Amino acid sequence: MRTFLATIFLWAGLSLNVFSQTIGKTEAGFVDGKSPQMNKPIRMTTYKDNAILFVDFNNNAVRSVKHDGVVKTIFGSPEKKGYRDGFADEALFSGLHGVAYDKINDVIYTVSASDNVIRKTSNRDGKLFTETIAGNQKEKGFKDGPAKLALFNSLHQILLGEQGEIYVLDIGNAKVRMLKNGVVSTIAGVDSLSPLRSDFKYPIDMCFDGKDIVICDAGNANIYRLILNKDVVKLNIDTKLEMPHGISSNNNGTLFIADMGSNKILKIESDKKVTVIEDSNLNKPAAVLFDNKTLWIADLYNHQIKYKELK
């Protein structure tokens, strides 16, 4: 009905600010299928078969969703809270806060804000198997070096580079760090140990925009453009943000922001001009994902995934 009404208003030459689709009930839960329930969906990435993956935070799970609204749990569940590597029926998860998908090798990567580790989930003997590839679940802190000896402090997002690089946002250390060839290094941060320095406070989400990495910082309400191996530039946008918690890009210079503080989805053009593209029925939007002309939204406190088609 909502989509039908939206179409009527568009025919009349009017703008109706609603989503094309709302997926899930507003009541928290854990149900797959066409009438799904979620419990604080918080991060998203593109997936195979025209689906997207999302982190269902309070359910300790990674799940998928398609345009038809069908949700499927890939691994994890409310009963699987904890920390243990292994096959999907025995692995445990907590604090999941970032997800990325390697479509070439069919591998899902996750980071945990509470366990301070990077993990990968892949097919082994016909079943999904999760293993830790960097960090130490028993100790948080800051240390570069060999992956299993490296220390992190509250990991909040993960990106996969084209040459095997894995970038993570280490929010507790206010740094961007990289795992490559089994070694963790620091790319950018707030102190003299960082090759590129910035005034990060709580860098909470990031995405690629072309070859650059753009970062939203919930602590100081700023957006940054990380030009790899060169500079970190704070964007001089024309609107004050309240709490940017999610960011995505069309890879052609247009950015999309989930501003949790204002309950709005924003568009930033030319690293400056800000416009509101959605501000109805949102309750702490945590993430956005632009994928093939579709803008997906993780609506955290409504426990829903929403999307709209963009021209």
Side-chain angles (χ1 to χ4, degrees), residues 72-270:
K72 178 183 178 181
T73 298
I74 308 301
F75 54 82
S77 75
E79 292 76 32
K80 293 182 179 296
K81 184 175 183 178
Y83 176 77
R84 184 169 64 210
D85 286 347
F87 287 104
D89 59 350
E90 60 187 20
L92 302 179
F93 305 89
S94 64
L96 289 173
H97 217 292
V99 62
Y101 178 64
D102 176 355
K103 64 181 180 181
I104 296 175
N105 298 298
D106 192 24
V107 177
I108 299 171
Y109 291 89
T110 56
V111 292
S112 168
S114 58
D115 290 328
N116 306 300
V117 293
I118 304 172
R119 302 167 84 182
K120 78 172 186 178
T121 300
S122 57
N123 188 296
R124 181 181 292 188
D125 300 327
K127 297 188 294 183
L128 291 180
F129 186 89
T130 297
E131 58 186 309
T132 299
I133 60 173
N136 183 345
Q137 187 265 347
K138 296 181 180 179
E139 183 180 2
K140 68 178 180 181
F142 171 74
K143 182 189 292 185
D144 284 341
K148 291 297 183 69
L149 299 178
L151 297 179
F152 304 99
N153 186 2
S154 193
L155 294 174
H156 269 62
Q157 184 55 305
I158 182 167
L159 285 179
L160 306 181
E162 294 181 349
Q163 306 299 321
E165 318 97 307
I166 298 176
Y167 298 97
V168 293
L169 281 181
D170 187 346
I171 192 172
N173 289 311
K175 297 178 185 295
V176 180
R177 302 173 73 187
M178 179 180 71
L179 169 62
K180 186 176 182 181
N181 298 326
V183 176
V184 173
S185 59
T186 298
I187 301 300
V190 296
D191 55 29
S192 59
L193 297 175
S194 304
L196 300 176
R197 298 189 65 179
S198 183
D199 63 345
F200 295 144
K201 188 174 182 182
Y202 297 130
I204 202 163
D205 195 18
M206 62 180 173
C207 69
F208 280 108
D209 182 42
K211 294 183 178 181
D212 298 340
I213 295 175
V214 284
I215 300 164
C216 64
D217 193 310
N220 57 31
N222 288 322
I223 308 296
Y224 299 85
R225 183 173 291 275
L226 169 56
I227 306 168
L228 289 168
N229 302 314
K230 291 185 179 180
D231 199 5
V232 180
V233 179
K234 184 190 301 182
L235 302 193
N236 183 26
I237 61 176
D238 61 13
T239 300
K240 181 178 176 59
L241 305 179
E242 295 190 29
M243 187 189 293
H245 195 278
I247 189 168
S248 189
S249 165
N250 68 354
N251 272 315
N252 195 29
T254 297
L255 308 177
F256 302 94
I257 306 295
D259 192 15
M260 183 178 283
S262 66
N263 287 312
K264 295 177 180 178
I265 306 301
L266 309 173
K267 179 171 69 173
I268 301 177
E269 298 172 283
S270 304

